[in-house]
mmCIF file of all heavy atoms in Angstrom:
data_model
loop_
_atom_site.group_PDB
_atom_site.id
_atom_site.type_symbol
_atom_site.label_atom_id
_atom_site.label_comp_id
_atom_site.label_asym_id
_atom_site.label_seq_id
_atom_site.Cartn_x
_atom_site.Cartn_y
_atom_site.Cartn_z
ATOM 1 N N PRO A 1 119.880 6.907 -82.238
ATOM 2 C CA PRO A 1 121.256 6.603 -82.800
ATOM 3 C C PRO A 1 121.373 7.142 -84.250
ATOM 4 O O PRO A 1 120.436 7.096 -85.037
ATOM 5 C CB PRO A 1 121.324 5.144 -82.615
ATOM 6 C CG PRO A 1 119.860 4.615 -82.664
ATOM 7 C CD PRO A 1 119.015 5.585 -82.015
ATOM 8 N N ALA A 2 122.482 7.410 -84.533
ATOM 9 C CA ALA A 2 122.848 7.769 -86.037
ATOM 10 C C ALA A 2 124.406 7.724 -86.116
ATOM 11 O O ALA A 2 125.117 7.893 -85.152
ATOM 12 C CB ALA A 2 122.313 9.226 -86.288
ATOM 13 N N TRP A 3 124.740 7.747 -87.444
ATOM 14 C CA TRP A 3 126.143 7.753 -87.712
ATOM 15 C C TRP A 3 126.440 9.288 -87.850
ATOM 16 O O TRP A 3 125.726 10.065 -88.412
ATOM 17 C CB TRP A 3 126.444 7.061 -89.000
ATOM 18 C CG TRP A 3 126.408 5.649 -88.988
ATOM 19 C CD1 TRP A 3 125.370 4.753 -89.361
ATOM 20 C CD2 TRP A 3 127.427 4.764 -88.530
ATOM 21 N NE1 TRP A 3 125.674 3.548 -89.028
ATOM 22 C CE2 TRP A 3 126.948 3.395 -88.507
ATOM 23 C CE3 TRP A 3 128.709 5.018 -87.975
ATOM 24 C CZ2 TRP A 3 127.725 2.292 -88.244
ATOM 25 C CZ3 TRP A 3 129.504 3.893 -87.525
ATOM 26 C CH2 TRP A 3 129.022 2.646 -87.604
ATOM 27 N N ILE A 4 127.574 9.681 -87.210
ATOM 28 C CA ILE A 4 128.027 11.145 -87.347
ATOM 29 C C ILE A 4 129.450 11.267 -87.772
ATOM 30 O O ILE A 4 130.215 10.191 -87.952
ATOM 31 C CB ILE A 4 127.974 11.759 -86.003
ATOM 32 C CG1 ILE A 4 128.956 11.196 -84.992
ATOM 33 C CG2 ILE A 4 126.503 11.698 -85.434
ATOM 34 C CD1 ILE A 4 129.152 12.074 -83.707
ATOM 35 N N ASN A 5 129.805 12.369 -88.243
ATOM 36 C CA ASN A 5 131.127 12.758 -88.790
ATOM 37 C C ASN A 5 132.003 12.857 -87.344
ATOM 38 O O ASN A 5 131.832 13.604 -86.514
ATOM 39 C CB ASN A 5 131.085 14.065 -89.347
ATOM 40 C CG ASN A 5 132.353 14.638 -89.780
ATOM 41 O OD1 ASN A 5 133.477 13.979 -89.533
ATOM 42 N ND2 ASN A 5 132.508 15.866 -90.348
ATOM 43 N N ALA A 6 133.156 12.044 -87.436
ATOM 44 C CA ALA A 6 133.978 11.912 -86.209
ATOM 45 C C ALA A 6 135.141 12.805 -86.236
ATOM 46 O O ALA A 6 135.833 12.932 -85.371
ATOM 47 C CB ALA A 6 134.546 10.440 -86.155
ATOM 48 N N GLY A 7 135.094 13.639 -87.301
ATOM 49 C CA GLY A 7 136.304 14.687 -87.367
ATOM 50 C C GLY A 7 137.645 14.136 -87.724
ATOM 51 O O GLY A 7 138.621 14.835 -87.480
ATOM 52 N N LEU A 8 137.656 12.992 -88.479
ATOM 53 C CA LEU A 8 138.878 12.408 -89.021
ATOM 54 C C LEU A 8 138.702 12.285 -90.483
ATOM 55 O O LEU A 8 137.673 11.662 -90.953
ATOM 56 C CB LEU A 8 139.329 11.148 -88.371
ATOM 57 C CG LEU A 8 139.800 11.104 -86.886
ATOM 58 C CD1 LEU A 8 138.539 11.009 -86.028
ATOM 59 C CD2 LEU A 8 140.512 9.852 -86.779
ATOM 60 N N TYR A 9 139.647 12.987 -91.277
ATOM 61 C CA TYR A 9 139.521 12.826 -92.698
ATOM 62 C C TYR A 9 140.830 12.489 -93.363
ATOM 63 O O TYR A 9 141.769 12.757 -92.841
ATOM 64 C CB TYR A 9 139.098 14.186 -93.357
ATOM 65 C CG TYR A 9 137.963 14.954 -92.510
ATOM 66 C CD1 TYR A 9 138.347 16.131 -91.706
ATOM 67 C CD2 TYR A 9 136.758 14.493 -92.391
ATOM 68 C CE1 TYR A 9 137.472 16.774 -90.975
ATOM 69 C CE2 TYR A 9 135.805 14.998 -91.576
ATOM 70 C CZ TYR A 9 136.091 16.198 -90.848
ATOM 71 O OH TYR A 9 135.134 16.977 -90.182
ATOM 72 N N LEU A 10 140.723 11.817 -94.608
ATOM 73 C CA LEU A 10 141.818 11.729 -95.509
ATOM 74 C C LEU A 10 141.425 12.403 -96.748
ATOM 75 O O LEU A 10 140.381 12.180 -97.391
ATOM 76 C CB LEU A 10 142.132 10.260 -95.802
ATOM 77 C CG LEU A 10 142.942 9.563 -94.660
ATOM 78 C CD1 LEU A 10 142.888 8.071 -94.704
ATOM 79 C CD2 LEU A 10 144.507 10.003 -94.855
ATOM 80 N N MET A 11 142.206 13.303 -97.059
ATOM 81 C CA MET A 11 141.940 14.138 -98.259
ATOM 82 C C MET A 11 143.104 14.154 -99.267
ATOM 83 O O MET A 11 144.317 14.352 -98.765
ATOM 84 C CB MET A 11 141.662 15.605 -97.748
ATOM 85 C CG MET A 11 140.515 15.662 -96.887
ATOM 86 S SD MET A 11 140.065 17.318 -96.450
ATOM 87 C CE MET A 11 139.753 18.257 -97.679
ATOM 88 N N GLN A 12 142.890 14.097 -100.559
ATOM 89 C CA GLN A 12 143.865 14.144 -101.572
ATOM 90 C C GLN A 12 144.397 15.609 -101.731
ATOM 91 O O GLN A 12 143.591 16.610 -101.634
ATOM 92 C CB GLN A 12 143.461 13.668 -102.966
ATOM 93 C CG GLN A 12 143.213 12.069 -102.939
ATOM 94 C CD GLN A 12 144.348 11.257 -102.416
ATOM 95 O OE1 GLN A 12 144.464 10.847 -101.320
ATOM 96 N NE2 GLN A 12 145.393 11.315 -103.277
ATOM 97 N N ARG A 13 145.663 15.922 -101.943
ATOM 98 C CA ARG A 13 146.256 17.097 -102.143
ATOM 99 C C ARG A 13 145.418 18.069 -102.956
ATOM 100 O O ARG A 13 145.233 19.140 -102.817
ATOM 101 C CB ARG A 13 147.652 16.896 -102.474
ATOM 102 C CG ARG A 13 148.438 18.238 -102.307
ATOM 103 C CD ARG A 13 149.835 18.150 -102.772
ATOM 104 N NE ARG A 13 150.601 19.276 -102.404
ATOM 105 C CZ ARG A 13 151.271 19.419 -101.257
ATOM 106 N NH1 ARG A 13 151.197 18.510 -100.259
ATOM 107 N NH2 ARG A 13 151.867 20.546 -100.939
ATOM 108 N N GLU A 14 145.104 17.441 -104.125
ATOM 109 C CA GLU A 14 144.446 18.211 -105.115
ATOM 110 C C GLU A 14 143.109 18.903 -104.724
ATOM 111 O O GLU A 14 142.723 19.820 -105.169
ATOM 112 C CB GLU A 14 144.423 17.498 -106.559
ATOM 113 C CG GLU A 14 143.527 16.132 -106.393
ATOM 114 C CD GLU A 14 144.533 14.919 -106.168
ATOM 115 O OE1 GLU A 14 145.612 15.123 -105.648
ATOM 116 O OE2 GLU A 14 144.112 13.721 -106.547
ATOM 117 N N VAL A 15 142.456 18.105 -103.862
ATOM 118 C CA VAL A 15 141.277 18.657 -103.358
ATOM 119 C C VAL A 15 141.457 19.931 -102.486
ATOM 120 O O VAL A 15 140.769 20.931 -102.541
ATOM 121 C CB VAL A 15 140.469 17.656 -102.436
ATOM 122 C CG1 VAL A 15 139.197 18.148 -101.640
ATOM 123 C CG2 VAL A 15 140.020 16.394 -103.227
ATOM 124 N N ILE A 16 142.459 19.785 -101.595
ATOM 125 C CA ILE A 16 142.749 20.931 -100.654
ATOM 126 C C ILE A 16 143.293 22.148 -101.653
ATOM 127 O O ILE A 16 142.915 23.333 -101.245
ATOM 128 C CB ILE A 16 143.876 20.557 -99.702
ATOM 129 C CG1 ILE A 16 143.291 19.437 -98.813
ATOM 130 C CG2 ILE A 16 144.186 21.740 -98.806
ATOM 131 C CD1 ILE A 16 144.374 18.765 -97.935
ATOM 132 N N GLU A 17 143.873 21.848 -102.687
ATOM 133 C CA GLU A 17 144.389 22.944 -103.652
ATOM 134 C C GLU A 17 143.265 23.746 -104.218
ATOM 135 O O GLU A 17 143.452 24.925 -104.622
ATOM 136 C CB GLU A 17 145.225 22.355 -104.719
ATOM 137 C CG GLU A 17 146.597 21.855 -104.234
ATOM 138 C CD GLU A 17 147.398 21.148 -105.296
ATOM 139 O OE1 GLU A 17 146.766 20.667 -106.338
ATOM 140 O OE2 GLU A 17 148.599 21.020 -105.165
ATOM 141 N N THR A 18 141.994 23.145 -104.295
ATOM 142 C CA THR A 18 140.852 23.842 -104.760
ATOM 143 C C THR A 18 140.230 24.829 -103.884
ATOM 144 O O THR A 18 139.262 25.582 -104.164
ATOM 145 C CB THR A 18 139.867 22.910 -105.415
ATOM 146 O OG1 THR A 18 139.243 22.177 -104.270
ATOM 147 C CG2 THR A 18 140.421 21.871 -106.369
ATOM 148 N N ILE A 19 140.534 24.691 -102.498
ATOM 149 C CA ILE A 19 139.911 25.529 -101.509
ATOM 150 C C ILE A 19 140.371 26.958 -101.694
ATOM 151 O O ILE A 19 141.596 27.211 -101.836
ATOM 152 C CB ILE A 19 140.295 25.016 -100.074
ATOM 153 C CG1 ILE A 19 139.676 23.597 -99.926
ATOM 154 C CG2 ILE A 19 139.698 25.938 -99.079
ATOM 155 C CD1 ILE A 19 140.160 22.931 -98.663
ATOM 156 N N ALA A 20 139.423 27.903 -101.732
ATOM 157 C CA ALA A 20 139.850 29.299 -101.828
ATOM 158 C C ALA A 20 140.821 29.758 -100.749
ATOM 159 O O ALA A 20 140.698 29.453 -99.687
ATOM 160 C CB ALA A 20 138.626 30.169 -101.713
ATOM 161 N N ALA A 21 141.920 30.447 -101.124
ATOM 162 C CA ALA A 21 142.934 30.926 -100.164
ATOM 163 C C ALA A 21 142.684 32.327 -99.707
ATOM 164 O O ALA A 21 143.581 32.799 -98.891
ATOM 165 C CB ALA A 21 144.211 30.722 -100.832
ATOM 166 N N ASP A 22 141.662 32.983 -100.299
ATOM 167 C CA ASP A 22 141.492 34.410 -99.824
ATOM 168 C C ASP A 22 140.295 34.781 -99.020
ATOM 169 O O ASP A 22 139.923 35.898 -98.827
ATOM 170 C CB ASP A 22 141.403 35.233 -101.221
ATOM 171 C CG ASP A 22 140.366 34.733 -102.069
ATOM 172 O OD1 ASP A 22 139.593 33.665 -101.758
ATOM 173 O OD2 ASP A 22 140.007 35.454 -103.000
ATOM 174 N N ARG A 23 139.724 33.701 -98.383
ATOM 175 C CA ARG A 23 138.528 33.915 -97.548
ATOM 176 C C ARG A 23 138.388 32.738 -96.707
ATOM 177 O O ARG A 23 138.850 31.617 -96.891
ATOM 178 C CB ARG A 23 137.321 34.168 -98.377
ATOM 179 C CG ARG A 23 136.786 32.948 -99.124
ATOM 180 C CD ARG A 23 135.629 33.217 -99.941
ATOM 181 N NE ARG A 23 135.232 32.028 -100.751
ATOM 182 C CZ ARG A 23 134.495 30.845 -100.296
ATOM 183 N NH1 ARG A 23 134.202 30.915 -99.149
ATOM 184 N NH2 ARG A 23 134.209 29.954 -101.141
ATOM 185 N N PRO A 24 137.631 32.880 -95.545
ATOM 186 C CA PRO A 24 137.262 31.757 -94.640
ATOM 187 C C PRO A 24 136.526 30.686 -95.394
ATOM 188 O O PRO A 24 135.543 31.016 -96.192
ATOM 189 C CB PRO A 24 136.507 32.337 -93.429
ATOM 190 C CG PRO A 24 136.914 33.760 -93.512
ATOM 191 C CD PRO A 24 137.147 34.062 -95.029
ATOM 192 N N VAL A 25 136.795 29.431 -95.220
ATOM 193 C CA VAL A 25 136.084 28.398 -95.845
ATOM 194 C C VAL A 25 135.758 27.236 -94.750
ATOM 195 O O VAL A 25 136.607 26.907 -93.954
ATOM 196 C CB VAL A 25 136.737 27.766 -97.080
ATOM 197 C CG1 VAL A 25 136.023 26.591 -97.694
ATOM 198 C CG2 VAL A 25 137.118 28.742 -98.079
ATOM 199 N N SER A 26 134.555 26.750 -94.812
ATOM 200 C CA SER A 26 134.184 25.578 -93.900
ATOM 201 C C SER A 26 134.284 24.289 -94.674
ATOM 202 O O SER A 26 133.528 24.116 -95.654
ATOM 203 C CB SER A 26 132.785 25.815 -93.396
ATOM 204 O OG SER A 26 132.298 24.592 -92.754
ATOM 205 N N LEU A 27 135.090 23.408 -94.224
ATOM 206 C CA LEU A 27 135.127 22.078 -94.812
ATOM 207 C C LEU A 27 133.657 21.317 -94.780
ATOM 208 O O LEU A 27 133.265 20.784 -95.717
ATOM 209 C CB LEU A 27 136.156 21.122 -94.169
ATOM 210 C CG LEU A 27 137.434 21.336 -94.314
ATOM 211 C CD1 LEU A 27 138.345 20.372 -93.484
ATOM 212 C CD2 LEU A 27 137.956 21.200 -95.714
ATOM 213 N N GLU A 28 133.116 21.525 -93.584
ATOM 214 C CA GLU A 28 131.691 20.756 -93.319
ATOM 215 C C GLU A 28 130.651 21.356 -94.100
ATOM 216 O O GLU A 28 129.880 20.597 -94.562
ATOM 217 C CB GLU A 28 131.570 20.820 -91.760
ATOM 218 C CG GLU A 28 132.572 20.209 -90.979
ATOM 219 C CD GLU A 28 133.796 20.968 -90.625
ATOM 220 O OE1 GLU A 28 133.853 22.184 -91.050
ATOM 221 O OE2 GLU A 28 134.653 20.605 -89.779
ATOM 222 N N ARG A 29 130.536 22.698 -94.297
ATOM 223 C CA ARG A 29 129.411 23.245 -95.048
ATOM 224 C C ARG A 29 129.644 23.538 -96.463
ATOM 225 O O ARG A 29 128.644 23.663 -97.211
ATOM 226 C CB ARG A 29 129.072 24.503 -94.264
ATOM 227 C CG ARG A 29 128.479 24.287 -92.786
ATOM 228 C CD ARG A 29 127.885 25.569 -92.238
ATOM 229 N NE ARG A 29 128.841 26.602 -92.145
ATOM 230 C CZ ARG A 29 129.568 26.885 -91.158
ATOM 231 N NH1 ARG A 29 129.684 26.039 -90.078
ATOM 232 N NH2 ARG A 29 130.532 27.706 -91.127
ATOM 233 N N GLU A 30 130.943 23.766 -96.774
ATOM 234 C CA GLU A 30 131.193 24.180 -98.310
ATOM 235 C C GLU A 30 131.922 23.128 -99.034
ATOM 236 O O GLU A 30 131.516 23.093 -100.269
ATOM 237 C CB GLU A 30 131.949 25.491 -98.246
ATOM 238 C CG GLU A 30 131.258 26.614 -97.581
ATOM 239 C CD GLU A 30 132.151 27.897 -97.618
ATOM 240 O OE1 GLU A 30 132.429 28.415 -98.610
ATOM 241 O OE2 GLU A 30 132.526 28.428 -96.419
ATOM 242 N N VAL A 31 132.752 22.370 -98.546
ATOM 243 C CA VAL A 31 133.537 21.510 -99.283
ATOM 244 C C VAL A 31 132.868 20.080 -99.362
ATOM 245 O O VAL A 31 132.585 19.563 -100.511
ATOM 246 C CB VAL A 31 135.077 21.447 -98.805
ATOM 247 C CG1 VAL A 31 135.798 20.389 -99.512
ATOM 248 C CG2 VAL A 31 135.621 22.731 -98.856
ATOM 249 N N PHE A 32 132.715 19.415 -98.186
ATOM 250 C CA PHE A 32 132.292 18.044 -98.215
ATOM 251 C C PHE A 32 130.923 17.889 -99.005
ATOM 252 O O PHE A 32 130.746 16.877 -99.651
ATOM 253 C CB PHE A 32 132.135 17.585 -96.743
ATOM 254 C CG PHE A 32 133.461 17.475 -95.982
ATOM 255 C CD1 PHE A 32 133.545 17.437 -94.751
ATOM 256 C CD2 PHE A 32 134.653 17.420 -96.779
ATOM 257 C CE1 PHE A 32 134.809 17.304 -94.013
ATOM 258 C CE2 PHE A 32 135.923 17.303 -96.067
ATOM 259 C CZ PHE A 32 135.879 17.257 -94.749
ATOM 260 N N PRO A 33 129.846 18.773 -98.811
ATOM 261 C CA PRO A 33 128.523 18.492 -99.434
ATOM 262 C C PRO A 33 128.776 18.357 -100.982
ATOM 263 O O PRO A 33 127.874 17.716 -101.587
ATOM 264 C CB PRO A 33 127.712 19.712 -99.199
ATOM 265 C CG PRO A 33 128.277 20.126 -97.646
ATOM 266 C CD PRO A 33 129.782 20.000 -97.894
ATOM 267 N N SER A 34 129.566 18.988 -101.533
ATOM 268 C CA SER A 34 129.849 18.968 -102.987
ATOM 269 C C SER A 34 130.431 17.671 -103.484
ATOM 270 O O SER A 34 130.539 17.378 -104.727
ATOM 271 C CB SER A 34 130.656 20.116 -103.578
ATOM 272 O OG SER A 34 132.140 20.042 -102.990
ATOM 273 N N TYR A 35 130.807 16.730 -102.592
ATOM 274 C CA TYR A 35 131.487 15.409 -102.859
ATOM 275 C C TYR A 35 130.442 14.284 -102.565
ATOM 276 O O TYR A 35 130.889 13.074 -102.703
ATOM 277 C CB TYR A 35 132.727 15.284 -102.223
ATOM 278 C CG TYR A 35 133.861 16.044 -102.808
ATOM 279 C CD1 TYR A 35 134.102 17.394 -102.418
ATOM 280 C CD2 TYR A 35 134.705 15.504 -103.691
ATOM 281 C CE1 TYR A 35 135.177 18.098 -103.003
ATOM 282 C CE2 TYR A 35 135.738 16.258 -104.269
ATOM 283 C CZ TYR A 35 135.823 17.494 -103.988
ATOM 284 O OH TYR A 35 137.004 18.236 -104.600
ATOM 285 N N THR A 36 129.224 14.558 -102.387
ATOM 286 C CA THR A 36 128.235 13.487 -101.842
ATOM 287 C C THR A 36 127.625 12.838 -103.170
ATOM 288 O O THR A 36 126.573 12.250 -102.886
ATOM 289 C CB THR A 36 127.178 14.044 -100.898
ATOM 290 O OG1 THR A 36 126.546 15.180 -101.547
ATOM 291 C CG2 THR A 36 127.749 14.453 -99.554
ATOM 292 N N ASP A 37 128.284 12.917 -104.127
ATOM 293 C CA ASP A 37 127.813 12.315 -105.404
ATOM 294 C C ASP A 37 128.570 10.923 -105.545
ATOM 295 O O ASP A 37 128.707 10.505 -106.691
ATOM 296 C CB ASP A 37 128.063 13.167 -106.522
ATOM 297 C CG ASP A 37 129.516 13.618 -106.775
ATOM 298 O OD1 ASP A 37 130.435 13.279 -105.849
ATOM 299 O OD2 ASP A 37 129.807 14.450 -107.616
ATOM 300 N N GLY A 38 129.017 10.333 -104.482
ATOM 301 C CA GLY A 38 129.650 9.093 -104.666
ATOM 302 C C GLY A 38 131.271 9.253 -104.390
ATOM 303 O O GLY A 38 131.961 8.184 -104.410
ATOM 304 N N ARG A 39 131.656 10.377 -104.187
ATOM 305 C CA ARG A 39 133.093 10.679 -104.102
ATOM 306 C C ARG A 39 133.672 10.829 -102.659
ATOM 307 O O ARG A 39 134.809 11.195 -102.457
ATOM 308 C CB ARG A 39 133.500 11.887 -105.027
ATOM 309 C CG ARG A 39 133.299 11.760 -106.482
ATOM 310 C CD ARG A 39 133.714 12.906 -107.222
ATOM 311 N NE ARG A 39 132.951 14.085 -106.930
ATOM 312 C CZ ARG A 39 133.285 15.351 -107.056
ATOM 313 N NH1 ARG A 39 134.571 15.577 -107.507
ATOM 314 N NH2 ARG A 39 132.510 16.288 -106.723
ATOM 315 N N LEU A 40 132.729 10.705 -101.700
ATOM 316 C CA LEU A 40 133.134 11.013 -100.336
ATOM 317 C C LEU A 40 132.913 9.658 -99.470
ATOM 318 O O LEU A 40 131.970 9.190 -99.274
ATOM 319 C CB LEU A 40 132.285 12.021 -99.734
ATOM 320 C CG LEU A 40 132.354 12.418 -98.308
ATOM 321 C CD1 LEU A 40 133.812 12.765 -97.944
ATOM 322 C CD2 LEU A 40 131.542 13.514 -97.888
ATOM 323 N N GLY A 41 134.192 8.964 -99.285
ATOM 324 C CA GLY A 41 134.156 7.746 -98.578
ATOM 325 C C GLY A 41 133.838 7.773 -97.186
ATOM 326 O O GLY A 41 134.045 8.774 -96.424
ATOM 327 N N ALA A 42 133.378 6.667 -96.651
ATOM 328 C CA ALA A 42 132.983 6.575 -95.234
ATOM 329 C C ALA A 42 133.665 5.388 -94.618
ATOM 330 O O ALA A 42 133.634 4.265 -95.095
ATOM 331 C CB ALA A 42 131.416 6.472 -95.022
ATOM 332 N N PHE A 43 134.396 5.685 -93.505
ATOM 333 C CA PHE A 43 135.039 4.569 -92.758
ATOM 334 C C PHE A 43 134.275 4.351 -91.497
ATOM 335 O O PHE A 43 134.472 5.281 -90.561
ATOM 336 C CB PHE A 43 136.533 4.841 -92.586
ATOM 337 C CG PHE A 43 137.312 3.767 -91.844
ATOM 338 C CD1 PHE A 43 137.703 2.581 -92.460
ATOM 339 C CD2 PHE A 43 137.951 4.027 -90.702
ATOM 340 C CE1 PHE A 43 138.361 1.668 -91.798
ATOM 341 C CE2 PHE A 43 138.735 3.074 -89.970
ATOM 342 C CZ PHE A 43 138.920 1.875 -90.586
ATOM 343 N N CYS A 44 133.479 3.447 -91.270
ATOM 344 C CA CYS A 44 132.581 3.228 -90.021
ATOM 345 C C CYS A 44 133.408 2.573 -88.969
ATOM 346 O O CYS A 44 133.923 1.413 -89.183
ATOM 347 C CB CYS A 44 131.398 2.587 -90.371
ATOM 348 S SG CYS A 44 130.289 3.570 -91.559
ATOM 349 N N GLN A 45 133.438 3.208 -87.813
ATOM 350 C CA GLN A 45 134.036 2.631 -86.574
ATOM 351 C C GLN A 45 133.072 2.460 -85.338
ATOM 352 O O GLN A 45 132.467 3.519 -85.156
ATOM 353 C CB GLN A 45 135.270 3.539 -86.171
ATOM 354 C CG GLN A 45 136.343 3.490 -87.286
ATOM 355 C CD GLN A 45 137.340 2.290 -87.141
ATOM 356 O OE1 GLN A 45 138.210 2.321 -86.254
ATOM 357 N NE2 GLN A 45 136.988 1.267 -87.828
ATOM 358 N N HIS A 46 133.021 1.450 -84.892
ATOM 359 C CA HIS A 46 132.184 1.277 -83.469
ATOM 360 C C HIS A 46 133.131 1.561 -82.405
ATOM 361 O O HIS A 46 133.602 0.645 -81.631
ATOM 362 C CB HIS A 46 131.540 -0.155 -83.526
ATOM 363 C CG HIS A 46 130.687 -0.426 -84.595
ATOM 364 N ND1 HIS A 46 129.249 0.069 -84.524
ATOM 365 C CD2 HIS A 46 130.733 -0.971 -85.810
ATOM 366 C CE1 HIS A 46 128.694 -0.260 -85.595
ATOM 367 N NE2 HIS A 46 129.547 -0.937 -86.348
ATOM 368 N N LYS A 47 133.446 2.917 -82.189
ATOM 369 C CA LYS A 47 134.280 3.288 -81.159
ATOM 370 C C LYS A 47 133.528 4.487 -80.448
ATOM 371 O O LYS A 47 132.832 5.198 -80.986
ATOM 372 C CB LYS A 47 135.567 3.708 -81.757
ATOM 373 C CG LYS A 47 136.373 2.711 -82.417
ATOM 374 C CD LYS A 47 137.020 1.756 -81.427
ATOM 375 C CE LYS A 47 137.917 0.577 -82.086
ATOM 376 N NZ LYS A 47 139.120 1.233 -82.713
#
């Protein structure tokens, strides 16, 4: 067993504005890991 990313996110508009608009970008591999310094909240659901 482990906790996994359920594919539901709440993101502030200013975060999305920082995503490059001129190339493909992965949320999971490029954006989210840079917020694991305490700025990425987790909402745990037993579903």
